[in-house]
């Protein structure tokens, strides 16, 4: 009895100590994913590595960030901001204190954020080296070029990041996956890594072009349909050609463009179908690198912000702001279908019902106007019109800004009596209001 | 160290008896009031002092014991009374009167992983037992501790049932964050406020290096709670029931209808605006015009009530041959003072000690509780947008409470406000928590096997806690009849959408702990040695799932399955290990002649929080004590001092809570619909943490303590004094300034660099006395504690003004403008620097000091230190107990000083704004009398409050000396007056004890600002006030 009790106690003690330390100390933070989870399979690794492209959705012109839509800083488009003076487009255009000598207007300042992206990409490149080294038999792929294709994608995105920085700021602080004193990324732990001298602008362009050259050589010519949207050889050569313009390396510009042509790059005959991201791939010869948004639903911010305001009702999504719109001047530059110039004084020659219908195809592919077909409906930008089949109730059109401003919603809200006092009949407001361009890069 | 003195006494049986014929000795044991005492242990010893056998007295104080020899000795002992020993001789009847023991030196104090006699104590601890704990019915154990333990600060910020516990601090603050003590219930880290206070045997606070016994969890001190266990003796069944009536401790009185209209019109006039309340409206209000919405309503009266709390506890304790038990069930129904808020709590507990075999005991403790909390759908908080109390402030008293079948809501500010409808129409927030806490301990006395092993014990302690929580929140849309100066009519209540929303959250979590332990304790002549050694492993886990839906068309039932509209994110959830630690521990004690006391400990802790290579820390401690009163020279020189001990300690503790777990790994989150590739949206992984830290560690606190314990004049005066110094180093803090952004955040922004010192003292004085006859008795226990901290190192930004240093100052100090007074003229305003807010100044607004004289008042440059923090530096309390025969009165006076709170200032959101306590007609609603009748008007230039206005001026909202209130107070925290029915009246009843009492809490308060409770949170915009209670109770024992 006594012996058995002692034995029992001793066994309990030994078992406890033996098994416990590891169980209680090496815990997993299961609320989030860790390295092992990210590199669990080739599919999961791709979901991590493709996030390198987020630099495009964040900081290119077709971006989730509201301040990068450069056309709206020009005469061809304008921001429809509700905060007239505080919106970054207007502060950038109108307020002197948005500028500083040698600096970038606050609304356009991308230095910090793009470097955050660059750091992420540098770490991806370090990860790629480390994981290739391990040669995990569970998912190590025997396609020789799997690793280099991923490296080429990340370096393509990193080159684009440095391209943005060089364009905005001139020479960059070059931080790569190997620039740190430890041979990895620059680490604030080490004094030598903290402050690095800026390259000259020329050195910056040289670095970007070398990176793009390497990327172009290692990227695939085409991706499976499943991955349309990832960078190809054509994407890299196209960007290289553009960077060459900035660097004034004219022969390189020509050579890179010729590479694109050799890879099948060409204009497609139907201009409108450039914007049809959906079912057709025939436009890929013109779209050398595209950023896509989900069709048939409004999920992505750029997609929702730049829709006509009437889509708020259609999709039940509140953020349909029509945030950037073409100017009347831009719309007026599109010719009539017969090639003659458009003019507000000349359009009404007695044969045309309205100023819009009889315009060249590019107009219809670019400008939304009152009566324009859009998705499954017709654009209504009029104010205070009669619904064709309604009684006497005057309403604003579904895409009328006046209605949107007044009620915060659209979709034929009955107009309050007080406004009907200044009555006017169904007027066709003939200003083009929206652009739907998810124009590829 | 004597871990189990009674157990040892009762269970160790010396085998040898001599051959004398046995004789039966009996008698009765009484106290000085000549009342029999049940449960006295009567130990038979042989002439050499070895124990032979023992019995306990029965209900009438009688005992009978077999005696073998006339030289045998009988020893009578009972906790709280002086033990007596008599030689049996020829007697067959021995009646004994036991005197009360005022020297509590033989009390056994529960310490970390064991217990110790008070006389052998070398650490700074405070302790109370059941008798002193429950002075008046209170719902939370944390509130009961207030004022009873020196060195403990408690702050109750709310009276909301379920959230009305006190926040506790031991010896003030040691770190920038996470200053709460570790709570240990029956040997395991647990929560306090789900316990039934009637089950508590003792509460001990470890203040100095004694807390270091808890290693990485000991930096802020440790509170040890021990629940009752079964004693030897017959079954004792006790019923304790009480009813309490609950009201607000403080709440300002708001203007009534006619005063409101008068003052509001006057304010509009002063603003240069047309008064709203015309003679026509005034008539309708005063005549309660049945055809209009105008009438009279006291909105505070509408939302508050006198709550009624019921509490019932039945317990049974006692022993059978091999089992000692304590069992109880408890029920609490708590109504808050704010209508439609309540808490129900159900408790059970069963603590069993079983002698499973010779020398082997198995102890098991099972405790469970369920708490049901009910609140309205509208969130209640200090600063919440639609808080019902705030709505009552923001409404006006000249409306009917209902009109055309709808609640009437004032809608002149941003929202429709009707606090009463918010309580009853807005749906509900229901919260149910179930806890099951269990302990198991198998203990083997190796001393029973061989003499050489005497004093050696081996045990395995295990614990398992399981907790399950269910939240069910229904946001119910309701209509109100909105009234503004320009329109009236039905609208939806603010904050609710016609869809109705429902959220359900279920979570569960568990903790297990296992601890094999070896203890040794033995005396060799005057040498007393003890040692302990153990290993401990602990792990916690939690798992949550939350779902929500909209589109409900009935109020009841409401559940996820009944909703018709899926939310954008219908289900979220997480599961996570919330902790794991492993520890090694060794302790050695040595004392010589109970005169020289030494103790050494070392603990080694590993925690899951840190990187594997940096995970283990070692925490040494050393204690020493010298009982000078046992030295001959001392006894000769100072004979009136019965006991005098000097003790000192040093120990290192850690605080892992300052570091976020898992920072040593990269973490990634999933982003759904992140991009579109191949025509379909894909999810992507993105790294959360820019930097991976391998070398972060816990902060280390060095505890130094020196103290004395003294007893004088045979218990007439007891003194405990402690002085402490704590230095906390390696506090984790964040810094960012020094790195260029091109690093892309790849730099160590967290580092172990902060340093704080904390020093202070505690003094406790005790005095007990009685009249010669013993009819009158009284006792006084007074304590005062002081703790002041100072920041020695903290990362500061480069542009921090050097005249407002943080390093060298106390944490929590309040910074703000220095107010110079109120502007009295336009001329004074013209000569004033640029004001800190947009908007214009008027006479009667607050004038601030331009500290740096740059002609601009700006918070970054002109804030100065204006007050103490919200945690008092000084706590004091006076426990006064008086009894006359069977009547008794017990009172606890408690107070704090060196503390400040703000009525207006910076909200948690970071916005600086006024509150209902500082801005007249705040939110276009009503106001308290004090704020209006003593506001600045040209006729009242020496006003206590700023200009009477309906237009809230941002200038008057800034954090400043103007709205800083000295938070010191003195209050009659608890009082009880009661009566014990005399024994002789109970003889023919089944009761052995009957006690009835009246009690109260927060009965009288002296403070500087009587319109809110002095413990109120800073910058509140109408909060749930603390409660004053009046109780009647009865305690019956069978």
């Amino acid at each position: 009895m006594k012996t058995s009790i002692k034995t029992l106690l001793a066994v309990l003690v030994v078992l406890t100590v033996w098994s416990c330390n590891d169980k209680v100390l090496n815990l997993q933070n299961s609320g989030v994913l860790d390295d092992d989870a990210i590199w669990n399979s080739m599919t999961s690794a791709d979901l991590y590595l493709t996030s390198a492209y987020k630099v495009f959705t964040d900081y290119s012109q077709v971006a989730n960030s509201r301040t990068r839509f450069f056309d709206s800083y020009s005469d061809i488009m304008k921001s429809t901001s509700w905060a007239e003076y505080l919106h970054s487009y207007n502060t950038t255009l109108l307020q002197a204190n948005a500028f500083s000598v040698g600096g970038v207007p606050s609304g356009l300042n991308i230095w910090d954020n793009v470097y955050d992206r660059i750091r992420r990409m540098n770490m991806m490149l370090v990860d790629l080296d480390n994981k290739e080294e391990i040669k995990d038999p569970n998912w190590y792929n025997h396609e020789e070029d799997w690793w280099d294709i991923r490296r080429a994608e990340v370096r393509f995105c990193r080159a684009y990041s440095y391209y943005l920085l060089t364009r905005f700021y001139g020479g960059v602080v070059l931080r790569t996956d190997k620039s740190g004193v430890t041979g990895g990324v620059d680490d604030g732990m080490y004094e030598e890594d903290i402050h690095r001298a800026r390259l000259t602008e020329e050195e910056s362009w040289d670095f970007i072009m070398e990176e793009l050259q390497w990327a172009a050589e290692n990227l695939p010519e085409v991706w499976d349909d499943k991955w349309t949207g990832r960078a190809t050889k054509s994407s890299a050569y196209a960007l290289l050609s553009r960077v060459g313009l900035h660097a004034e390396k004219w022969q390189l510009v020509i050579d890179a463009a010729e590479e694109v042509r050799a890879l099948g790059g060409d204009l497609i005959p139907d201009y409108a179908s450039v914007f049809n991201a959906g079912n057709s791939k025939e436009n890929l010869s013109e779209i050398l690198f595209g950023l896509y948004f989900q069709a048939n639903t409004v999920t992505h911010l750029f997609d929702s912000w730049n829709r006509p305001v009437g889509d708020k009702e259609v999709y039940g999504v509140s953020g349909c702001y029509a945030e950037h719109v073409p100017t009347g001047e831009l719309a007026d530059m599109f010719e009539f279908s017969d090639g003659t110039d458009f003019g507000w004084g000349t359009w009404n020659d007695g044969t045309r019902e309205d100023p819009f219908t009889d315009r060249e195809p590019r107009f219809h592919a670019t400008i939304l106007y009152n009566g324009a077909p859009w998705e499954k409906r017709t654009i209504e930008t009029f104010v205070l019109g009669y619904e064709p089949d309604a009684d006497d109730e005057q309403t604003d059109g579904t895409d009328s800004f006046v209605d949107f401003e007044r009620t915060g919603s659209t979709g034929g809200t009955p107009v309050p009596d007080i406004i009907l006092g200044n009555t006017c009949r169904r007027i066709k407001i003939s200003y083009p209001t929206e652009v739907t361009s998810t124009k590829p890069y | 160290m004597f871990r189990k003195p009674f157990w040892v006494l009762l269970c160790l049986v010396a085998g040898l008896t001599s051959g004398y014929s046995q004789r039966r000795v009996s008698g009765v044991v009484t106290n000085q009031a000549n009342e029999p005492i049940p449960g006295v242990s009567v130990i038979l010893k042989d002439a050499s002092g070895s124990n032979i056998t023992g019995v306990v007295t029965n209900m009438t104080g009688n005992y009978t014991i077999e005696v073998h020899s006339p030289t045998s000795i009988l020893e009578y002992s009972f906790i709280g009374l002086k033990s007596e020993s008599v030689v049996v001789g020829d007697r067959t009847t021995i009646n004994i009167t036991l005197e009360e023991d005022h020297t509590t030196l033989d009390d056994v104090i529960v310490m970390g992983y064991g217990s110790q006699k008070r006389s052998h104590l070398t650490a700074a601890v405070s302790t109370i037992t059941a008798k002193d704990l429950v002075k008046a019915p209170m719902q939370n154990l944390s509130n009961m501790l207030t004022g009873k333990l020196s060195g403990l600060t408690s702050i109750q910020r709310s009276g909301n049932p379920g959230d009305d516990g006190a926040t506790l601090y031991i010896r003030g603050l040691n770190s920038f964050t996470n200053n709460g003590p570790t709570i240990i219930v029956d040997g395991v880290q647990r929560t306090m406020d789900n316990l039934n206070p009637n089950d508590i045997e003792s509460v001990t606070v470890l203040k100095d290096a004694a807390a270091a016994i808890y290693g990485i969890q000991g930096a802020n001190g440790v509170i040890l709670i021990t629940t009752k266990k079964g004693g030897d003796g017959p079954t004792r069944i006790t019923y304790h029931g009480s009813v309490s009536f609950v009201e607000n401790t403080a709440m300002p009185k708001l203007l009534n209808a006619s005063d409101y209209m008068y003052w509001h019109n006057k304010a509009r006039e002063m603003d240069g605006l047309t008064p709203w309340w015309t003679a026509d409206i005034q008539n309708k209000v005063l005549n309660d015009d049945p055809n209009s919405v105008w009438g009279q309503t006291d909105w505070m009266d509408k939302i508050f009530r006198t709550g009624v709390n019921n509490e019932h506890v039945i317990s049974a304790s006692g022993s059978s041959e091999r089992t000692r038990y304590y069992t109880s069930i408890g029920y609490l129904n708590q109504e808050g003072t704010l209508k439609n808020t309540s808490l129900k709590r159900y408790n059970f507990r069963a603590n069993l000690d079983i002698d499973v075999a010779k020398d082997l005991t198995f102890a098991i403790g099972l405790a469970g509780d369920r708490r049901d909390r009910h609140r309205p759908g509208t969130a209640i908080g200090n600063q919440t947008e639609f808080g019902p109390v705030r709505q009552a402030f923001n409404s006006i008293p000249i409306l009917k409470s209902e009109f055309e079948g709808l609640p009437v809501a004032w809608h002149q500010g941003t929202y429709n406000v009707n606090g009463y409808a918010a309580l009853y129409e807005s749906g509900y927030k229901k919260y149910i928590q179930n806890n099951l806490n269990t302990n198991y301990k198998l203990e083997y006395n190796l001393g029973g096997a061989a003499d050489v092993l005497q004093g050696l014990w081996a045990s395995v302690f295990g614990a398992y806690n399981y907790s399950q929580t269910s939240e069910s929140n229904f946001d119910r849309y309701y209509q109100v009849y909105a009234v503004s100066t320009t329109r009236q009519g039905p609208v939806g209540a603010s904050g609710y959408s016609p869809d109705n929303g429902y959220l359900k959250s279920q979570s569960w979590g568990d903790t297990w702990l296992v601890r094999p332990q070896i203890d040794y304790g033995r005396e060799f002549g005057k040498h007393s040695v003890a040692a302990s050694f153990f290993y401990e492993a602990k792990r916690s886990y939690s798992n949550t799932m939350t779902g929500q839906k909209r589109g409900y068309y009935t109020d009841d039932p409401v559940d996820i399955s009944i909703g018709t509209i899926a939310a954008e994110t219908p289900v979220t959830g997480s599961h996570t290990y919330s902790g794991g630690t492993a520890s090694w521990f060794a302790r050695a004690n040595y004392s010589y002649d109970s005169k020289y006391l030494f103790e050494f400990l070392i603990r080694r802790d590993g925690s899951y929080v840190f990187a594997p290579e940096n995970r283990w820390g070692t925490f040494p401690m050393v204690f020493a004590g010298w009982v000078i009163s046992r030295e001959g020279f001392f006894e000769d020189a100072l004979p009136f001092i019965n006991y005098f001990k000097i003790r000192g300690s040093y120990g290192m503790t850690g605080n892992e809570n300052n570091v976020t777990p898992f920072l040593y790994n990269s973490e990634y989150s999933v982003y759904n619909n992140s991009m579109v590739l191949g025509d379909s949206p894909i999810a992507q992984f993105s790294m959360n943490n820019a930097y991976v830290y391998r070398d972060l560690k816990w902060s280390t606190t060095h505890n130094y303590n020196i103290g004395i314990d003294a007893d004088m004049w045979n218990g007439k005066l007891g003194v405990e004094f402690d002085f402490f110094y704590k230095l906390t180093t390696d506090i984790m803090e964040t810094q960012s300034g020094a790195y260029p952004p091109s690093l892309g955040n790849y730099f160590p922004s967290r580092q172990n660099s902060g340093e704080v010192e904390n020093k202070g003292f505690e003094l406790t004085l005790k005095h007990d006395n009685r009249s010669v006859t013993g009819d009158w008795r009284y006792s006084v226990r007074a304590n005062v504690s002081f703790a002041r901290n100072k920041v020695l190192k903290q990362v500061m930004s480069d542009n921090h003004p050097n005249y407002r240093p943080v390093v060298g100052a106390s944490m929590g100090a309040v910074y703000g403008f220095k107010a110079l007074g109120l502007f009295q003229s336009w001329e004074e305003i013209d000569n004033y620097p640029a004001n800190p807010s947009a908007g214009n100044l008027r006479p009667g607004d607050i004038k601030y000091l331009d500290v740096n004289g740059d002609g601009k008042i700006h918070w970054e440059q002109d804030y100065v230190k204006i007050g103490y923090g919200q945690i008092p530096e000084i706590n004091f309390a006076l426990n006064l107990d008086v009894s006359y025969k069977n009547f008794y009165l017990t009172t606890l006076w408690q107070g704090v000083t060196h503390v400040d709170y703000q009525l207006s200032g910076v909200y948690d959101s970071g916005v600086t704004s006024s509150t209902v306590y500082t801005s007249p007609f705040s939110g276009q609603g009503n106001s308290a009398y004090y704020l209006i009748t003593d506001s600045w008007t040209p006729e009242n230039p020496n006003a206590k409050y700023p200009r009477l206005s309906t237009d809230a001026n941002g200038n008057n909202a800034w954090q400043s000396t103007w709205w800083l209130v000295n938070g010191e107070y003195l209050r009659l925290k608890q009082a009880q007056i009661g009566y014990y029915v005399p024994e002789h009246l109970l003889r023919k009843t089944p009761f052995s004890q009957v006690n009835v009492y009246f009690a109260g809490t927060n009965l009288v308060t002296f403070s500087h600002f009587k319109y809110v409770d002095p413990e109120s949170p800073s910058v509140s915009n109408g909060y749930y006030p603390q409660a004053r209670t009046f109780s009647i109770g009865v305690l019956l024992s069978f």
Side-chain angles (χ1 to χ4, degrees), chain A residues 170-225:
Chain A
V172 296
V173 178
L174 187 63
R175 300 193 187 272
T176 71
D177 51 312
K178 294 185 170 62
S179 58
V181 284
T182 59
V185 299
D186 284 353
D187 184 340
M189 181 92 96
Y190 305 101
E191 201 55 42
E192 301 92 317
D193 284 1
I194 295 176
H195 296 287
R196 291 195 180 284
R198 284 173 72 165
L199 303 185
T200 63
E201 186 172 335
E202 195 185 353
E203 287 166 343
S204 305
W205 291 127
D206 285 347
F207 170 77
I208 295 163
M209 289 187 295
E210 279 167 31
E211 288 290 293
L212 288 172
Q213 187 65 45
W214 191 91
E217 284 160 14
N218 287 280
L219 282 167
E221 280 184 34
V222 67
W223 287 90
D224 287 350
D225 283 357

Side-chain angles (χ1 to χ4, degrees), chain B residues 132-195:
Chain B
D132 298 316
L133 187 65
V134 188
K135 287 204 165 183
M138 293 181 100
Q139 289 66 46
N140 296 305
L141 180 59
S142 58
N143 288 327
M144 286 186 171
L145 301 180
T146 306
K148 290 167 188 159
L149 294 157
S150 73
L152 186 76
T153 303
S154 75
I155 304 170
Q156 187 192 354
R157 294 264 182 246
S158 164
N160 200 352
D163 284 339
D164 52 350
T167 308
L168 302 175
Y169 302 93
I170 296 172
R171 288 185 165 173
L173 308 178
N174 303 304
S175 184
F176 305 138
T177 54
N178 293 308
N179 283 292
T182 297
I183 314 275
I184 305 282
V185 181
D186 287 337
V188 187
Q189 192 166 0
R190 286 169 177 156
T191 54
M192 189 188 279
D193 281 337
N194 55 322
L195 296 173

Side-chain angles (χ1 to χ4, degrees), chain A residues 21 26 30 35 187 228 278 300, chain B residues 535 575 615 668 673 678-679 691:
Chain A
N21 271 5
N26 290 325
S30 47
D35 271 328
D187 184 340
T228 303
H300 296 100
Chain B
Y535 168 82
H575 61 105
R615 173 168 281 170
Y668 304 81
N673 299 319
D679 282 348
Y691 200 78

Side-chain angles (χ1 to χ4, degrees), chain A residues 1-2 5-6 8-9 12-13 16-17 20-21 23-35 38 44 47-48 50-51 53-54 57 111-112 115-116 119-120 123 127 173 175 185-189 193-195 225-230 277-278 281 291-294 299-300, chain B residues 357 360 442 444 446 449 458-460 512 514 516 535 537-539 575-577 579-582 584 606-608 612 615-616 662 664 666-670 673-679 681-691 695 738-748:
Chain A
M1 171 79 180
K2 267 178 238 159
I5 288 165
K6 273 186 238 169
L8 178 72
L9 274 176
L12 273 175
V13 171
T16 314
V17 178
C20 276
N21 271 5
K23 254 185 208 161
V24 300
L25 294 180
N26 290 325
L27 301 181
Q28 191 191 12
N29 187 7
S30 47
V32 295
L33 301 163
D34 62 9
D35 271 328
I38 296 305
S44 64
L47 295 188
Y48 168 47
T50 53
S51 70
Y53 291 109
K54 290 297 280 181
T57 59
W111 182 270
D112 297 12
Y115 268 112
D116 188 74
R119 185 260 306 167
R120 288 167 185 274
M123 293 181 80
D127 282 356
V173 178
R175 300 193 187 272
V185 299
D186 284 353
D187 184 340
M189 181 92 96
D193 284 1
I194 295 176
H195 296 287
D225 283 357
K226 180 176 168 234
W227 291 118
T228 303
R230 292 172 78 160
K281 297 288 175 224
L291 285 183
Y292 296 87
F293 297 95
Q294 193 174 359
T299 300
H300 296 100
Chain B
L360 186 70
L442 192 62
Y444 183 55
L446 292 151
S459 64
V460 179
W512 60 255
V514 61
Y535 168 82
K538 186 179 84 172
R539 196 172 80 178
H575 61 105
T576 177
Y577 291 108
T581 51
W584 296 95
S607 167
Y608 82 110
R615 173 168 281 170
W616 288 87
F662 300 117
Y664 60 86
S666 297
E667 291 177 4
Y668 304 81
S669 284
V670 181
N673 299 319
S674 181
M675 289 181 76
V676 170
L677 290 176
D679 282 348
I682 60 161
Q684 286 180 326
F685 303 132
S686 181
M687 200 185 287
N688 293 339
N689 50 341
Y691 200 78
D695 56 352
Y739 299 97
S742 62
L743 275 174
N745 297 313
Y746 201 73
F747 54 82

Side-chain angles (χ1 to χ4, degrees), chain B residues 197-471:
Chain B
N198 291 278
D199 286 344
I200 307 304
E201 174 65 36
S202 72
V203 179
T204 301
V205 176
L206 308 180
K207 296 184 283 197
D208 64 348
I213 293 168
Y214 287 90
I216 213 160
Q217 286 159 343
N220 296 319
V222 174
I223 298 177
L224 298 174
I225 297 167
T226 309
T227 59
K228 289 176 179 167
K229 295 199 135 201
D232 292 298
T235 301
R236 188 179 167 93
I237 298 170
T238 303
Y239 164 78
H240 181 191
S242 66
V243 181
S244 305
F245 301 91
V246 188
E247 60 181 42
N248 293 335
T249 53
M251 185 49 70
K253 179 117 186 72
L254 305 191
L255 299 177
N256 68 19
S258 54
D259 289 337
Y260 165 76
M261 292 186 290
Y262 167 79
W263 286 102
H264 191 271
N265 281 352
K266 187 177 165 74
R268 292 273 297 178
E269 274 170 34
M270 280 179 59
D271 290 340
L273 301 166
T274 315
W276 284 343
W277 312 120
T278 59
D280 176 47
I281 294 179
Q282 296 202 20
N283 272 330
K284 285 179 174 161
V285 168
L286 298 175
N287 298 322
D288 202 16
D289 173 34
N291 299 318
S292 76
V293 74
W294 308 109
Q296 298 182 38
T297 304
D298 180 341
W299 291 103
M300 283 292 169
D301 195 48
K302 281 292 275 188
I303 63 166
F304 286 112
R305 67 178 166 194
T306 299
V308 181
N309 298 349
N310 290 292
E311 195 171 3
H312 305 280
V313 179
I314 297 173
S315 64
S317 67
S319 65
S320 64
E321 193 187 351
R322 308 188 97 174
T323 308
R324 293 166 298 285
Y325 58 89
Y326 171 84
T327 57
S328 79
I329 51 172
Y331 166 73
L332 167 73
N333 182 8
Q334 184 186 3
E335 278 182 359
T337 56
L338 194 60
K339 289 173 182 172
N340 207 14
T341 60
S342 65
L343 174 80
K344 284 191 174 71
R345 188 179 67 209
Y346 310 85
N347 288 87
F348 81 86
R349 176 172 297 277
N351 289 345
L352 307 176
D353 293 271
I354 306 161
D355 304 330
V356 289
K358 181 172 175 292
D359 298 329
L360 186 70
T361 52
F362 182 57
I364 178 167
L366 306 171
D369 60 83
R370 169 177 166 149
R371 288 189 297 167
D372 292 16
R373 201 174 72 192
H374 180 92
R375 289 178 187 169
T378 302
I380 297 169
N382 306 333
Q383 300 176 354
T384 47
E385 242 172 335
F386 306 111
V389 183
R390 181 178 179 180
Q391 292 202 27
F393 269 104
N394 287 351
S395 192
I396 56 172
I398 59 170
L399 301 171
K400 290 189 173 67
S401 61
E402 271 186 36
F403 190 65
E404 292 187 349
L406 290 174
V408 175
W410 177 232
H411 183 160
Q412 196 66 38
T414 319
Y415 306 120
N416 302 305
V417 286
N418 177 326
Y420 182 74
L423 290 174
Y424 281 103
E425 303 291 332
S426 61
Y428 53 76
K429 291 191 189 334
K430 289 179 183 167
Y431 174 94
I432 299 173
Q433 189 181 51
N434 292 291
N435 289 304
L436 182 67
N437 292 328
T438 65
N439 308 325
Y440 315 89
K441 187 176 188 183
L442 192 62
E443 190 169 41
Y444 183 55
N445 177 8
L446 292 151
D451 215 27
V452 69
L453 294 178
Q454 208 176 344
L456 190 62
W457 299 73
S459 64
V460 179
F461 176 87
Y464 183 74
N465 300 345
Y466 178 85
S467 161
Q468 194 268 337
T469 305
S470 154
E471 268 185 274

Side-chain angles (χ1 to χ4, degrees), chain A residues 275-348:
Chain A
F275 304 108
N276 293 339
N279 35 34
S280 63
K281 297 288 175 224
E282 78 275 10
N283 56 13
L284 286 180
S285 61
E286 181 167 336
I287 299 178
L288 304 177
F289 181 71
L291 285 183
Y292 296 87
F293 297 95
Q294 193 174 359
N296 304 324
T297 143
V298 180
T299 300
H300 296 100
L301 293 178
F302 180 83
D303 191 17
S304 90
W305 288 341
N306 292 294
R307 280 177 170 273
V309 291
D311 282 1
K312 188 174 163 174
E313 300 296 322
V314 177
Y315 291 99
V317 171
S318 59
C320 297
Y321 300 129
E323 196 166 81
H324 299 278
V325 295
T327 55
E329 287 85 346
L330 175 68
D332 294 351
M333 286 160 72
F334 289 99
E335 298 158 349
F336 287 114
S337 56
D338 60 8
T340 54
D341 284 348
F342 171 82
W344 284 101
T346 57
W347 72 268
N348 195 355

